[in-house]
Amino acid sequence: MKTDLEKMEFVIPSDFKYLGAVDAAVQDLAREMSCAQRWINDFSSALIEACTNAIEHGNKYSKDKRVRVEVSLDGKQIIARVRDEGTGFDFAPYLSEDSPLDAMSERGRGIKIMKAFTDALDYTLDTNGGLCLKLMKICAIEVDETADGKT
Amino acid sequence: MKISQKELYGAVVLELHGKLTGGPEAETFRNIFKSLLDDGKKNIIIDLKKVDWINSTGLGILISGYTSVRKAGGDLVLCHVGDRIDSILYVTKLNLLFQSFDSREEAAEYFKQQPA
């Protein structure tokens, strides 16, 4: 695995149709660093949820507001920060909640996905009021299944 | 998201293409399910073979469809669930709600075996 620090930043409108671009960017970056595909998929799913949260609950789908995403990867861990331009809210109760969901509830699974697919999930409130979610996951390297184990 | 609709042994197959993300798509799905149930078609197979990934609001669409169909006395099942979506269903425990089959034919066979 490469150990150089790779960073990228991008800004997307508050529209779910741009979530595919977030996924593609993370997939490309992590693949470049030889991360395992399953690991990439899990982290990207968590990041998509963070962006979904920012678009839906933070920016409330406002066309005038953007979601800012920063991703850094250094071969040991990947960290992403997702900032919305909303008015902010107390995220702590949602973060600590581990109670089982009503199986038929159509909502409330985003944080469960983020927690399941990351090693650490935290948040801060920006000075301008928006919420910043921070996601961290320890890297898993690609295993060459065709290798015979000899070096 | 594109949706194509076919019938297979009395069940309706909704083949989804792209990413299932909710938002405006939710209304589209609600209309499709309403139209199907109005026509008495209540055995639904959602084919996810061409769906790259799904987010929590996309899961909400599936649950909404499942709820509507079950209330009408039918069932909604999944087929061709890829590894990525399977992981999301597992961590959200929705694998316990949705029956999943390897192919449309296996899903249709499931409906054939249900009592009328």
Side-chain angles (χ1 to χ4, degrees):
Chain A
M1 173 180 285
K2 295 179 182 178
T3 55
D4 299 340
L5 178 65
E6 296 277 350
K7 293 180 76 170
M8 64 180 176
E9 297 179 23
F10 44 93
V11 179
I12 61 168
S14 299
D15 190 320
F16 286 163
K17 70 184 177 189
Y18 296 100
L19 294 176
V22 174
D23 180 58
V26 170
Q27 294 276 344
D28 285 347
L29 178 66
R31 208 171 286 128
E32 174 76 16
M33 302 287 276
S34 302
C35 298
Q37 186 60 50
R38 171 81 183 256
W39 180 90
I40 301 171
N41 288 344
D42 286 352
F43 185 78
S44 192
S45 293
L47 181 57
I48 286 168
E49 282 308 322
C51 293
T52 298
N53 184 79
I55 291 169
E56 185 181 21
H57 300 296
N59 293 349
K60 303 187 187 310
Y61 301 102
S62 169
K63 294 186 187 310
D64 300 326
K65 293 180 178 175
R66 299 286 186 267
V67 176
R68 295 172 193 281
V69 183
E70 301 169 23
V71 181
S72 61
L73 176 59
D74 66 1
K76 293 180 182 174
Q77 62 183 17
I78 188 168
I79 294 175
R81 289 181 176 81
V82 177
R83 291 183 169 84
D84 64 52
E85 295 178 349
T87 53
F89 58 95
D90 184 8
F91 199 70
Y94 301 96
L95 206 53
S96 61
E97 191 171 339
D98 262 332
S99 58
L101 270 176
D102 173 3
M104 306 303 286
S105 170
E106 295 173 27
R107 308 180 63 81
R109 291 180 175 80
I111 293 173
K112 288 194 182 297
I113 293 170
M114 283 189 268
K115 288 172 79 171
F117 290 149
T118 58
D119 292 306
L121 177 64
D122 204 353
Y123 78 101
T124 53
L125 287 174
D126 281 350
T127 49
N128 60 1
L131 187 74
C132 174
L133 278 177
K134 179 184 173 186
L135 303 87
M136 188 279 286
K137 190 172 180 66
I138 306 293
C139 284
I141 61 170
E142 191 79 65
V143 176
D144 182 359
E145 294 178 351
T146 62
D148 60 4
K150 295 175 184 174
T151 54
Chain B
M1 169 65 58
K2 293 178 184 172
I3 307 163
S4 56
Q5 186 174 323
K6 296 171 184 170
E7 295 210 16
L8 184 67
Y9 308 130
V12 174
V13 180
L14 296 178
E15 184 179 271
L16 315 185
H17 303 246
K19 301 148 185 81
L20 186 53
T21 60
E25 290 173 349
E27 186 64 24
T28 305
F29 272 87
R30 261 193 292 273
N31 291 336
I32 289 172
F33 279 108
K34 183 177 185 313
S35 174
L36 289 173
L37 294 175
D38 286 348
D39 291 343
K41 296 172 180 172
K42 52 190 181 182
N43 291 334
I44 313 293
I45 301 166
I46 304 284
D47 189 338
L48 296 172
K49 187 174 189 175
K50 296 176 180 172
V51 177
D52 304 324
W53 49 262
I54 186 170
N55 66 354
S56 57
T57 46
L59 291 174
I61 287 177
L62 293 182
I63 295 165
S64 172
Y66 178 88
T67 305
S68 303
V69 169
R70 294 288 288 189
K71 279 181 182 169
D75 203 353
L76 180 151
V77 302
L78 309 178
C79 73
H80 291 132
V81 179
D83 289 346
R84 189 166 179 184
I85 295 175
D86 194 47
S87 292
I88 289 177
L89 293 175
Y90 180 79
V91 301
T92 56
K93 296 187 169 62
L94 288 174
N95 59 326
L96 305 175
L97 187 69
F98 293 113
Q99 294 214 55
S100 178
F101 297 91
D102 290 339
S103 69
R104 296 177 179 191
E105 288 72 21
E106 286 181 33
E109 187 65 29
Y110 161 77
F111 283 120
K112 280 170 66 179
Q113 292 174 359
Q114 299 305 302

